[in-house]
Amino acid sequence: MPQPVNAELGQISELLMLLASIAYVVALIFFVLDLVRSSTTIGTIESRLASQQGAPERALAGVGARGGAVAAGSTPPARATADDSMDYGAGPRRGTARIAVSLTILAAVIHGAAVVSRGVAANRVPWGNMYEFCTTGAFLVAAIFLITLTRKDLRFVGSFVVGLVVIMLCAATVGFPTPVARLIPALQSYWLIVHVSIAVASSALFTITFAMSVLQLLQTSREAKLLAGKVDTAKFLRLVPSALSLENLSYRLNAIAFVGWTFTLMAGAIWAEQAWGRYWGWDTKEVWTFVIWTVYAGYLHARATRGWTGTRAAWLSIVGYLCIVFNFTIVNIYFSGLHSYSGV
C-alpha cells in the first residue's frame, strides 16, 4: 500500500526553497561586486605600472586572470584570481568573492535540505515532475560548481552559474508549481531513479559548460580587440582565463556530461520497453533527447577530429544547451505524447 503524502513537510520544503533562492540572490550580488571591485583594482595596478614605465599598454600578455594586457617585458600585476591553469594564486584574498562562495555554500545546504524534505514528504525520489526536476537540477548545478571550486578557482564564473541557478528556481516556482504528490503509475519504477537522476546530473554539467562557453565567446572578442590595439571595454573579463583555457575545460566537462547523456538515452529505451513494450517509438520527448545527444556528439567529434575550435566549438556547445532548454520547456508543455506527465 503506498505511503501517504506529508503535505506539511512539503510546505516546509517550499519554504526552504524560498530561503535558498534568497541566499543565492545575495550570493549573486556579491559575485557581481567581486567582478566590479577586482577588475577595478587590476586596472588601477596596470595604470600605475604603465605610468611608472612611461609606455602604453600594447602587448597581449597575461590575458584573463592575470589582468588583461600589460606592457611588453614588464612584470604582470599581482594575481587577483586564477591564471590559465585555474589554480588558486597567491594574490589578494578577494574578500567579496569569499563571502559570495560562503553564501553559495549556505544556499546549497538549504537547497539540499529542501530537495531531501520534498522526497521524504512524497516517499520517493524528488524528481517526478518538472518542478522537482528543475529544483533538483539547480541544486546539482550549485553542488558541482562548489565541488569544482575545491580543485579549480572558478569564482570568475560564479555570477553566471549562480545566476542560472536563480533562473532555474524562479522557473520552477513561477512556471511549474506542483504540490507534493504520489507518482502516476507510469513513473513508479526503479528506472526513474536511474534514468532521470543521470539526466539531471548531465544537464547540470551542461549548464556549467554553457556558462563557460558564453564567457569564452566574450573573452575571444576581447582578446581580438586587444590584439588590434583597441580599448578594453569589457574590463571584468580581466578576471577570466584565456578563451583557450575556457574552451579546454568546457570540452572536458562536456565529454563527461555526454557519457551521462548517453546512459540517459539507453536507460530511457530500456524503461520504455518495460513500460510500453518497445525500445523506441518516435515520441517527441525521445526524438529531442536523441537530438541533444546528436548535437553534443557532433561537438565532441568536430572538435577532436575536424579542428572545430574557438568560437565554432563554443557555439555548438551553446546550441546543445538550448536544445536541452527546448526539450525541457517547449516539448514538455506544448507537445503531447507518452511523456506528458510533467506535472503542469
Side-chain angles (χ1 to χ4, degrees), residues 48-331:
R48 188 182 301 120
L49 287 174
S51 62
Q52 291 174 353
Q53 296 167 353
E57 297 176 344
R58 297 180 183 276
L60 180 62
V63 170
R66 292 183 181 272
V70 299
S74 66
T75 303
R79 236 174 22 200
T81 185
D83 58 10
D84 282 355
S85 68
M86 301 184 201
D87 294 326
Y88 288 91
R93 294 176 65 85
R94 293 174 61 196
T96 309
R98 292 167 64 88
I99 294 174
V101 172
S102 299
L103 287 170
T104 305
I105 293 173
L106 174 63
V109 171
I110 300 174
H111 192 173
V115 171
V116 171
S117 59
R118 175 84 176 194
V120 173
N123 292 292
R124 55 173 173 78
V125 291
W127 49 75
N129 51 60
M130 289 180 66
Y131 172 86
E132 295 173 355
F133 187 97
C134 205
T135 53
T136 303
F139 169 71
L140 285 181
V141 170
I144 292 172
F145 171 66
L146 291 172
I147 292 172
T148 308
L149 275 180
T150 63
R151 301 295 301 274
K152 295 292 184 179
D153 188 356
L154 299 184
R155 290 177 294 179
F156 62 86
V157 80
S159 56
F160 292 84
V161 172
V162 175
L164 287 171
V165 169
V166 171
I167 291 173
M168 293 172 71
L169 289 180
C170 289
T173 304
V174 177
F176 316 121
T178 308
V180 61
R182 289 193 296 269
L183 291 174
I184 64 173
L187 294 180
Q188 294 175 7
S189 169
Y190 62 87
W191 282 106
L192 173 69
I193 302 175
V194 178
H195 174 63
V196 182
S197 62
I198 298 176
V200 172
S202 301
S203 299
L205 278 174
F206 285 138
T207 300
I208 294 176
T209 59
F210 165 75
M212 298 187 71
S213 295
V214 172
L215 274 178
Q216 178 191 335
L217 291 177
L218 295 174
Q219 188 67 288
T220 298
S221 176
R222 173 177 177 265
E223 291 175 358
K225 289 181 178 179
L226 290 175
L227 285 172
K230 297 181 180 179
V231 178
D232 184 5
T233 56
K235 295 183 179 180
F236 75 95
L237 289 175
R238 296 174 179 183
L239 297 176
V240 179
S242 66
L244 179 59
S245 297
L246 290 171
E247 179 186 347
N248 289 336
L249 180 57
S250 179
Y251 173 74
R252 291 195 291 269
L253 293 177
N254 273 329
I256 297 173
F258 176 75
V259 173
W261 198 260
T262 301
F263 279 108
T264 298
L265 196 61
M266 295 170 58
I270 297 173
W271 189 8
E273 195 278 332
Q274 292 188 357
W276 303 315
R278 89 290 187 279
Y279 290 100
W280 189 265
W282 296 104
D283 184 75
T284 308
K285 191 75 172 178
E286 295 173 344
V287 170
W288 273 96
T289 302
F290 180 70
V291 168
I292 294 168
W293 184 91
T294 303
V295 172
Y296 279 105
Y299 159 83
L300 295 173
H301 177 75
R303 191 184 183 280
T305 64
R306 296 291 183 180
W308 272 46
T309 58
T311 57
R312 290 187 294 183
W315 277 115
L316 266 180
S317 177
I318 291 172
V319 169
Y321 187 73
L322 293 179
C323 289
I324 292 176
V325 173
F326 182 87
N327 185 39
F328 177 70
T329 56
I330 304 300
V331 172

